[in-house]
Amino acid sequence: RKEVEQDPGPFNVPEGATVAFNCTYSNSASQSFFWYRQDCRKEPKLLMSVYSSGNEDGRFTAQLNRASQYISLLIRDSKLSDSATYLCVVNLYGNKLVFGAGTILRVKS
Amino acid sequence: DGGITQSPKYLFRKEGQNVTLSCEQNLNHDAMYWYRQDPGQGLRLIYYSQIVNDFQKGDIAEGYSVSREKKESFPLTVTSAQKNPTAFYLCASSITRLALAQETQYFGPGTRLLVL
């Protein structure tokens, strides 16, 4: 089983739609969690950290479920500019990040 | 502007040739990392360094070498022993060695290595 697993997609959604991605991780001792965004042929950029209580940044909401070992990202009112690959990232041992393979989002007009 | 720079943007390697990828940061971060990204796969850790003059192998270190003589610089050499080097190489840094809660990494723009 992979340490971090994501549905590769692609998720094809119309502008204005709400879309959600899930990510599961295998190690219950994982300490911190992040979502990164990666545009085509570019470097990953931090989108948001994921806190135990859940957190929101504008149209983006991240949730953590430690009992079921998954994190989620919800995007409301999708924009064309949201089209990208979204990477789920887990800090497994306090000194190493493990990256999921990413979920592709395509927002269409 | 503070950040991480990588050069070159594209690099072509001939069979049997060693090539070196540059990574520089002016963020005053202690830790630096090299990753490889292949299509449809997550980033895989090649080497990392938590402090000057010290570095550790990651998950796929075979065929690669690094040095950390200065805090700002962490060059990666792809040796001829790396049989499948074509990939997108990403350098990253973090303030410390990721031991702090919510500490994470920041990436340079990457280098695409192609084999001729």
Side-chain angles (χ1 to χ4, degrees), chain A residues 37-48:
Chain A
R37 170 194 169 127
Q38 186 173 24
D39 292 296
C40 187
R41 305 180 75 81
K42 299 284 190 181
E43 75 273 25
K45 292 184 178 178
L46 179 65
L47 179 65
M48 57 198 305

Side-chain angles (χ1 to χ4, degrees), chain A:
Chain A
R1 183 184 173 186
K2 290 182 180 177
E3 292 175 309
V4 178
E5 291 201 76
Q6 297 183 247
D7 181 342
F11 285 64
N12 295 303
V13 302
E15 274 186 291
T18 295
V19 61
F21 311 134
N22 283 338
C23 164
T24 58
Y25 59 95
S26 60
N27 191 321
S28 60
S30 299
Q31 300 187 3
S32 50
F33 310 87
F34 309 91
W35 284 101
Y36 278 70
R37 170 194 169 127
Q38 186 173 24
D39 292 296
C40 187
R41 305 180 75 81
K42 299 284 190 181
E43 75 273 25
K45 292 184 178 178
L46 179 65
L47 179 65
M48 57 198 305
S49 301
V50 186
Y51 302 115
S52 296
S53 55
N55 48 302
E56 188 175 308
D57 183 2
R59 298 182 292 110
F60 298 83
T61 300
Q63 297 276 357
L64 167 63
N65 185 318
R66 283 193 183 272
S68 300
Q69 293 180 212
Y70 77 83
I71 68 173
S72 64
L73 178 67
L74 181 78
I75 306 175
R76 292 180 298 278
D77 188 23
S78 298
K79 311 290 185 192
L80 293 174
S81 57
D82 293 334
S83 296
T85 299
Y86 290 83
L87 307 178
C88 171
V89 183
V90 176
N91 186 339
L92 282 182
Y93 308 114
N95 65 355
K96 177 184 175 185
L97 294 187
V98 178
F99 290 76
T103 297
I104 298 170
L105 173 64
R106 296 179 185 146
V107 182
K108 311 271 187 181
S109 60

Side-chain angles (χ1 to χ4, degrees), chain B residues 78-97:
Chain B
V78 184
T79 74
S80 58
Q82 173 48 244
K83 297 306 178 189
N84 185 22
T86 297
F88 187 37
Y89 289 86
L90 289 156
C91 179
S93 70
S94 60
I95 296 173
T96 68
R97 61 178 184 90

